[in-house]
Amino acid sequence: MNLKGRSFLTLKDFTPEEIEYLIDLAAKLKADKKRGITGESLKGKNIALIFEKPSTRTRCAFTVASNDEGAFPEYLGKGDIQLGAKESVEDTARVLGRMFDGIEFRGFSHANVEILAKYAGVPVWNGLTDDYHPTQILADFLTLKEQFGHLKGLNFVYIGDGRNNMANSLLIGCGKMGVNCTIIAPKQLWPEEEVVSLAKEYAAREGGTITITDDINDTKGADCIYTDVWCSMGEEEKARERIELLKGYQVNTALMDRTGKIDTIFMHCLPAVKGNEVTEEVFESEASVVFDEAENRMHTIKAVMVATLGE
């Protein structure tokens, strides 16, 4: 499958077959690395890593993945370039595109990553925006496939803030891959109808279901319980209000038990605020695969770069 030259901004832009290809490529690259085998598909390539928002997993994943495949990553923090300040995003894109072979962007506005992709002339990869977090979904799907052997038909429950970038991306990704996705959130934090409608269109094609509810008892039969922080980056002033609104939506042992399955796994994109969205007991339990997910960020990001830029 040829994805050369493609940008990776949202899973909306990729077919189920292309998403499956990236997951399978990531699994191969992961297995190779475990055997001490790294590649040279990005040898001689220079990668710009633009970070308006700080990160542990995204920065480390892109850096290690670049190094493993022979590329040179250059970190550009918000104080290092003039993105959208003294220089327009369009002009920054055209400058960086002439110097770098690929660009990662992690920041606030999704419009900015779209502008970078339009003007840079090289592949641009979304490391997170306020609207979408597609590389995390690939890592989640690789983790699910490792646990269950397949994606289609799994029962996936996300509980908490239903209108953040993770909920949006999970809806799109699950719809595309035929995963039955339930979002459990207070009505004030339900995802935008536009995203839900699109996810339902995808799901209808792939034989999956999309459910939005505020009932925390709708976890029966879940293969996976997923949550995220109650306050996304940049929303810290809403912390007290969110805690009050979401305290009944905590993932705890009682909620995990309500699935009625002994092999339900717990997932979280990290970092976690233990005691808020998840208890320490669940986070540290045998059901938790959060650090598999964290590691898989690197393998799936490597797959995206190899597929879209590699030789």
Side-chain angles (χ1 to χ4, degrees), residues 261-285:
K261 302 184 77 166
I262 59 171
D263 58 350
T264 302
I265 62 172
F266 169 72
M267 300 178 76
H268 193 305
C269 52
L270 302 183
V273 182
K274 299 167 203 174
N276 275 6
E277 71 270 12
V278 61
T279 61
E280 181 93 24
E281 186 178 13
V282 170
F283 187 89
E284 297 293 347
S285 71

PDB file of all heavy atoms in Angstrom, residues 261-285:
ATOM      1  N   LYS A 261     -17.550  -8.851  32.563  1.00  0.00           N
ATOM      2  CA  LYS A 261     -16.521  -9.659  31.883  1.00  0.00           C
ATOM      3  C   LYS A 261     -15.247  -9.657  32.728  1.00  0.00           C
ATOM      4  O   LYS A 261     -14.868  -8.618  33.287  1.00  0.00           O
ATOM      5  CB  LYS A 261     -16.225  -9.095  30.490  1.00  0.00           C
ATOM      6  CG  LYS A 261     -17.438  -9.024  29.590  1.00  0.00           C
ATOM      7  CD  LYS A 261     -17.085  -8.554  28.191  1.00  0.00           C
ATOM      8  CE  LYS A 261     -16.451  -9.658  27.379  1.00  0.00           C
ATOM      9  NZ  LYS A 261     -16.403  -9.332  25.940  1.00  0.00           N
ATOM     10  N   ILE A 262     -14.568 -10.787  32.778  1.00  0.00           N
ATOM     11  CA  ILE A 262     -13.347 -10.849  33.590  1.00  0.00           C
ATOM     12  C   ILE A 262     -12.121 -10.365  32.824  1.00  0.00           C
ATOM     13  O   ILE A 262     -11.069 -10.123  33.421  1.00  0.00           O
ATOM     14  CB  ILE A 262     -13.092 -12.290  34.104  1.00  0.00           C
ATOM     15  CG1 ILE A 262     -12.947 -13.260  32.922  1.00  0.00           C
ATOM     16  CG2 ILE A 262     -14.204 -12.742  35.040  1.00  0.00           C
ATOM     17  CD1 ILE A 262     -12.473 -14.644  33.339  1.00  0.00           C
ATOM     18  N   ASP A 263     -12.254 -10.235  31.500  1.00  0.00           N
ATOM     19  CA  ASP A 263     -11.090  -9.841  30.702  1.00  0.00           C
ATOM     20  C   ASP A 263     -11.196  -8.422  30.147  1.00  0.00           C
ATOM     21  O   ASP A 263     -10.491  -8.059  29.205  1.00  0.00           O
ATOM     22  CB  ASP A 263     -10.869 -10.835  29.557  1.00  0.00           C
ATOM     23  CG  ASP A 263     -12.075 -10.955  28.624  1.00  0.00           C
ATOM     24  OD1 ASP A 263     -13.143 -10.418  28.970  1.00  0.00           O
ATOM     25  OD2 ASP A 263     -11.936 -11.579  27.558  1.00  0.00           O
ATOM     26  N   THR A 264     -12.071  -7.597  30.721  1.00  0.00           N
ATOM     27  CA  THR A 264     -12.149  -6.183  30.311  1.00  0.00           C
ATOM     28  C   THR A 264     -10.831  -5.499  30.655  1.00  0.00           C
ATOM     29  O   THR A 264     -10.301  -5.671  31.752  1.00  0.00           O
ATOM     30  CB  THR A 264     -13.296  -5.459  31.032  1.00  0.00           C
ATOM     31  OG1 THR A 264     -14.527  -6.122  30.746  1.00  0.00           O
ATOM     32  CG2 THR A 264     -13.393  -4.007  30.582  1.00  0.00           C
ATOM     33  N   ILE A 265     -10.306  -4.720  29.701  1.00  0.00           N
ATOM     34  CA  ILE A 265      -9.062  -3.986  29.961  1.00  0.00           C
ATOM     35  C   ILE A 265      -9.350  -2.511  30.227  1.00  0.00           C
ATOM     36  O   ILE A 265     -10.406  -1.986  29.839  1.00  0.00           O
ATOM     37  CB  ILE A 265      -8.052  -4.122  28.801  1.00  0.00           C
ATOM     38  CG1 ILE A 265      -8.631  -3.527  27.497  1.00  0.00           C
ATOM     39  CG2 ILE A 265      -7.643  -5.585  28.610  1.00  0.00           C
ATOM     40  CD1 ILE A 265      -7.614  -3.454  26.358  1.00  0.00           C
ATOM     41  N   PHE A 266      -8.409  -1.863  30.907  1.00  0.00           N
ATOM     42  CA  PHE A 266      -8.511  -0.430  31.170  1.00  0.00           C
ATOM     43  C   PHE A 266      -7.443   0.295  30.362  1.00  0.00           C
ATOM     44  O   PHE A 266      -6.272  -0.095  30.348  1.00  0.00           O
ATOM     45  CB  PHE A 266      -8.305  -0.118  32.653  1.00  0.00           C
ATOM     46  CG  PHE A 266      -8.139   1.355  32.925  1.00  0.00           C
ATOM     47  CD1 PHE A 266      -9.220   2.216  32.830  1.00  0.00           C
ATOM     48  CD2 PHE A 266      -6.886   1.893  33.231  1.00  0.00           C
ATOM     49  CE1 PHE A 266      -9.071   3.582  33.029  1.00  0.00           C
ATOM     50  CE2 PHE A 266      -6.726   3.254  33.445  1.00  0.00           C
ATOM     51  CZ  PHE A 266      -7.821   4.102  33.351  1.00  0.00           C
ATOM     52  N   MET A 267      -7.864   1.393  29.699  1.00  0.00           N
ATOM     53  CA  MET A 267      -6.938   2.184  28.876  1.00  0.00           C
ATOM     54  C   MET A 267      -7.050   3.664  29.226  1.00  0.00           C
ATOM     55  O   MET A 267      -8.100   4.158  29.638  1.00  0.00           O
ATOM     56  CB  MET A 267      -7.234   1.964  27.390  1.00  0.00           C
ATOM     57  CG  MET A 267      -7.084   0.515  26.945  1.00  0.00           C
ATOM     58  SD  MET A 267      -7.489   0.239  25.185  1.00  0.00           S
ATOM     59  CE  MET A 267      -6.024   0.897  24.391  1.00  0.00           C
ATOM     60  N   HIS A 268      -5.938   4.374  29.034  1.00  0.00           N
ATOM     61  CA  HIS A 268      -5.850   5.815  29.320  1.00  0.00           C
ATOM     62  C   HIS A 268      -4.701   6.350  28.476  1.00  0.00           C
ATOM     63  O   HIS A 268      -3.635   5.752  28.413  1.00  0.00           O
ATOM     64  CB  HIS A 268      -5.569   6.028  30.805  1.00  0.00           C
ATOM     65  CG  HIS A 268      -5.752   7.436  31.299  1.00  0.00           C
ATOM     66  ND1 HIS A 268      -5.114   8.515  30.730  1.00  0.00           N
ATOM     67  CD2 HIS A 268      -6.481   7.937  32.335  1.00  0.00           C
ATOM     68  CE1 HIS A 268      -5.458   9.626  31.390  1.00  0.00           C
ATOM     69  NE2 HIS A 268      -6.292   9.296  32.355  1.00  0.00           N
ATOM     70  N   CYS A 269      -4.912   7.508  27.836  1.00  0.00           N
ATOM     71  CA  CYS A 269      -3.867   8.051  26.962  1.00  0.00           C
ATOM     72  C   CYS A 269      -2.717   8.694  27.739  1.00  0.00           C
ATOM     73  O   CYS A 269      -1.665   8.961  27.158  1.00  0.00           O
ATOM     74  CB  CYS A 269      -4.464   9.029  25.962  1.00  0.00           C
ATOM     75  SG  CYS A 269      -5.480  10.323  26.702  1.00  0.00           S
ATOM     76  N   LEU A 270      -2.911   8.957  29.032  1.00  0.00           N
ATOM     77  CA  LEU A 270      -1.895   9.538  29.912  1.00  0.00           C
ATOM     78  C   LEU A 270      -1.542  10.977  29.483  1.00  0.00           C
ATOM     79  O   LEU A 270      -1.691  11.323  28.329  1.00  0.00           O
ATOM     80  CB  LEU A 270      -0.638   8.670  29.957  1.00  0.00           C
ATOM     81  CG  LEU A 270      -0.826   7.224  30.416  1.00  0.00           C
ATOM     82  CD1 LEU A 270       0.534   6.504  30.473  1.00  0.00           C
ATOM     83  CD2 LEU A 270      -1.510   7.129  31.776  1.00  0.00           C
ATOM     84  N   PRO A 271      -1.096  11.793  30.427  1.00  0.00           N
ATOM     85  CA  PRO A 271      -0.923  11.509  31.854  1.00  0.00           C
ATOM     86  C   PRO A 271      -2.271  11.429  32.578  1.00  0.00           C
ATOM     87  O   PRO A 271      -3.238  12.042  32.147  1.00  0.00           O
ATOM     88  CB  PRO A 271      -0.109  12.697  32.357  1.00  0.00           C
ATOM     89  CG  PRO A 271      -0.479  13.818  31.436  1.00  0.00           C
ATOM     90  CD  PRO A 271      -0.705  13.188  30.094  1.00  0.00           C
ATOM     91  N   ALA A 272      -2.291  10.658  33.667  1.00  0.00           N
ATOM     92  CA  ALA A 272      -3.518  10.457  34.426  1.00  0.00           C
ATOM     93  C   ALA A 272      -3.497  11.263  35.721  1.00  0.00           C
ATOM     94  O   ALA A 272      -2.438  11.461  36.317  1.00  0.00           O
ATOM     95  CB  ALA A 272      -3.683   8.977  34.762  1.00  0.00           C
ATOM     96  N   VAL A 273      -4.668  11.717  36.135  1.00  0.00           N
ATOM     97  CA  VAL A 273      -4.821  12.335  37.458  1.00  0.00           C
ATOM     98  C   VAL A 273      -5.532  11.293  38.323  1.00  0.00           C
ATOM     99  O   VAL A 273      -6.759  11.223  38.371  1.00  0.00           O
ATOM    100  CB  VAL A 273      -5.630  13.647  37.399  1.00  0.00           C
ATOM    101  CG1 VAL A 273      -5.719  14.278  38.785  1.00  0.00           C
ATOM    102  CG2 VAL A 273      -4.993  14.620  36.415  1.00  0.00           C
ATOM    103  N   LYS A 274      -4.743  10.455  38.980  1.00  0.00           N
ATOM    104  CA  LYS A 274      -5.306   9.360  39.771  1.00  0.00           C
ATOM    105  C   LYS A 274      -6.096   9.931  40.937  1.00  0.00           C
ATOM    106  O   LYS A 274      -5.644  10.864  41.604  1.00  0.00           O
ATOM    107  CB  LYS A 274      -4.193   8.438  40.257  1.00  0.00           C
ATOM    108  CG  LYS A 274      -3.409   7.793  39.127  1.00  0.00           C
ATOM    109  CD  LYS A 274      -2.131   7.137  39.643  1.00  0.00           C
ATOM    110  CE  LYS A 274      -1.123   7.020  38.528  1.00  0.00           C
ATOM    111  NZ  LYS A 274       0.175   6.529  39.031  1.00  0.00           N
ATOM    112  N   GLY A 275      -7.277   9.371  41.152  1.00  0.00           N
ATOM    113  CA  GLY A 275      -8.179   9.904  42.165  1.00  0.00           C
ATOM    114  C   GLY A 275      -9.260  10.768  41.559  1.00  0.00           C
ATOM    115  O   GLY A 275     -10.289  11.017  42.186  1.00  0.00           O
ATOM    116  N   ASN A 276      -9.044  11.234  40.314  1.00  0.00           N
ATOM    117  CA  ASN A 276     -10.091  11.933  39.566  1.00  0.00           C
ATOM    118  C   ASN A 276     -10.760  10.950  38.607  1.00  0.00           C
ATOM    119  O   ASN A 276     -11.660  10.227  38.982  1.00  0.00           O
ATOM    120  CB  ASN A 276      -9.520  13.133  38.811  1.00  0.00           C
ATOM    121  CG  ASN A 276      -9.426  14.379  39.665  1.00  0.00           C
ATOM    122  OD1 ASN A 276      -9.687  14.338  40.862  1.00  0.00           O
ATOM    123  ND2 ASN A 276      -9.049  15.485  39.057  1.00  0.00           N
ATOM    124  N   GLU A 277     -10.265  10.898  37.369  1.00  0.00           N
ATOM    125  CA  GLU A 277     -10.929  10.077  36.354  1.00  0.00           C
ATOM    126  C   GLU A 277     -10.739   8.578  36.567  1.00  0.00           C
ATOM    127  O   GLU A 277     -11.511   7.773  36.049  1.00  0.00           O
ATOM    128  CB  GLU A 277     -10.470  10.478  34.945  1.00  0.00           C
ATOM    129  CG  GLU A 277      -9.040  10.086  34.596  1.00  0.00           C
ATOM    130  CD  GLU A 277      -7.989  11.126  34.950  1.00  0.00           C
ATOM    131  OE1 GLU A 277      -8.347  12.080  35.681  1.00  0.00           O
ATOM    132  OE2 GLU A 277      -6.853  10.987  34.496  1.00  0.00           O
ATOM    133  N   VAL A 278      -9.706   8.178  37.318  1.00  0.00           N
ATOM    134  CA  VAL A 278      -9.470   6.757  37.583  1.00  0.00           C
ATOM    135  C   VAL A 278      -8.866   6.599  38.970  1.00  0.00           C
ATOM    136  O   VAL A 278      -8.108   7.457  39.426  1.00  0.00           O
ATOM    137  CB  VAL A 278      -8.537   6.138  36.513  1.00  0.00           C
ATOM    138  CG1 VAL A 278      -7.163   6.813  36.503  1.00  0.00           C
ATOM    139  CG2 VAL A 278      -8.387   4.633  36.702  1.00  0.00           C
ATOM    140  N   THR A 279      -9.201   5.521  39.632  1.00  0.00           N
ATOM    141  CA  THR A 279      -8.608   5.247  40.943  1.00  0.00           C
ATOM    142  C   THR A 279      -7.240   4.607  40.769  1.00  0.00           C
ATOM    143  O   THR A 279      -6.953   3.978  39.743  1.00  0.00           O
ATOM    144  CB  THR A 279      -9.493   4.302  41.768  1.00  0.00           C
ATOM    145  OG1 THR A 279      -9.613   3.053  41.058  1.00  0.00           O
ATOM    146  CG2 THR A 279     -10.871   4.894  42.012  1.00  0.00           C
ATOM    147  N   GLU A 280      -6.415   4.781  41.777  1.00  0.00           N
ATOM    148  CA  GLU A 280      -5.093   4.137  41.788  1.00  0.00           C
ATOM    149  C   GLU A 280      -5.241   2.623  41.634  1.00  0.00           C
ATOM    150  O   GLU A 280      -4.457   1.967  40.945  1.00  0.00           O
ATOM    151  CB  GLU A 280      -4.387   4.466  43.109  1.00  0.00           C
ATOM    152  CG  GLU A 280      -3.000   3.873  43.247  1.00  0.00           C
ATOM    153  CD  GLU A 280      -1.898   4.810  42.788  1.00  0.00           C
ATOM    154  OE1 GLU A 280      -2.106   6.036  42.790  1.00  0.00           O
ATOM    155  OE2 GLU A 280      -0.837   4.294  42.416  1.00  0.00           O
ATOM    156  N   GLU A 281      -6.273   2.068  42.268  1.00  0.00           N
ATOM    157  CA  GLU A 281      -6.483   0.621  42.255  1.00  0.00           C
ATOM    158  C   GLU A 281      -6.687   0.095  40.838  1.00  0.00           C
ATOM    159  O   GLU A 281      -6.074  -0.912  40.438  1.00  0.00           O
ATOM    160  CB  GLU A 281      -7.700   0.267  43.121  1.00  0.00           C
ATOM    161  CG  GLU A 281      -7.928  -1.223  43.290  1.00  0.00           C
ATOM    162  CD  GLU A 281      -9.111  -1.534  44.201  1.00  0.00           C
ATOM    163  OE1 GLU A 281      -9.895  -0.601  44.506  1.00  0.00           O
ATOM    164  OE2 GLU A 281      -9.251  -2.695  44.598  1.00  0.00           O
ATOM    165  N   VAL A 282      -7.508   0.758  40.044  1.00  0.00           N
ATOM    166  CA  VAL A 282      -7.737   0.326  38.664  1.00  0.00           C
ATOM    167  C   VAL A 282      -6.503   0.600  37.808  1.00  0.00           C
ATOM    168  O   VAL A 282      -6.086  -0.234  36.991  1.00  0.00           O
ATOM    169  CB  VAL A 282      -8.976   1.019  38.062  1.00  0.00           C
ATOM    170  CG1 VAL A 282      -9.073   0.763  36.554  1.00  0.00           C
ATOM    171  CG2 VAL A 282     -10.240   0.542  38.751  1.00  0.00           C
ATOM    172  N   PHE A 283      -5.905   1.774  38.002  1.00  0.00           N
ATOM    173  CA  PHE A 283      -4.735   2.164  37.206  1.00  0.00           C
ATOM    174  C   PHE A 283      -3.606   1.139  37.349  1.00  0.00           C
ATOM    175  O   PHE A 283      -2.904   0.829  36.377  1.00  0.00           O
ATOM    176  CB  PHE A 283      -4.251   3.552  37.642  1.00  0.00           C
ATOM    177  CG  PHE A 283      -3.164   4.129  36.778  1.00  0.00           C
ATOM    178  CD1 PHE A 283      -3.477   4.892  35.670  1.00  0.00           C
ATOM    179  CD2 PHE A 283      -1.820   3.919  37.076  1.00  0.00           C
ATOM    180  CE1 PHE A 283      -2.472   5.434  34.867  1.00  0.00           C
ATOM    181  CE2 PHE A 283      -0.822   4.453  36.287  1.00  0.00           C
ATOM    182  CZ  PHE A 283      -1.146   5.209  35.174  1.00  0.00           C
ATOM    183  N   GLU A 284      -3.428   0.618  38.556  1.00  0.00           N
ATOM    184  CA  GLU A 284      -2.330  -0.316  38.830  1.00  0.00           C
ATOM    185  C   GLU A 284      -2.764  -1.786  38.736  1.00  0.00           C
ATOM    186  O   GLU A 284      -1.974  -2.677  39.021  1.00  0.00           O
ATOM    187  CB  GLU A 284      -1.752  -0.051  40.224  1.00  0.00           C
ATOM    188  CG  GLU A 284      -1.135   1.322  40.402  1.00  0.00           C
ATOM    189  CD  GLU A 284       0.122   1.550  39.568  1.00  0.00           C
ATOM    190  OE1 GLU A 284       0.666   0.545  39.021  1.00  0.00           O
ATOM    191  OE2 GLU A 284       0.566   2.700  39.455  1.00  0.00           O
ATOM    192  N   SER A 285      -3.992  -2.032  38.314  1.00  0.00           N
ATOM    193  CA  SER A 285      -4.510  -3.401  38.283  1.00  0.00           C
ATOM    194  C   SER A 285      -3.980  -4.172  37.074  1.00  0.00           C
ATOM    195  O   SER A 285      -3.414  -3.594  36.130  1.00  0.00           O
ATOM    196  CB  SER A 285      -6.041  -3.372  38.238  1.00  0.00           C
ATOM    197  OG  SER A 285      -6.485  -2.917  36.963  1.00  0.00           O
TER     198      SER A 285
END
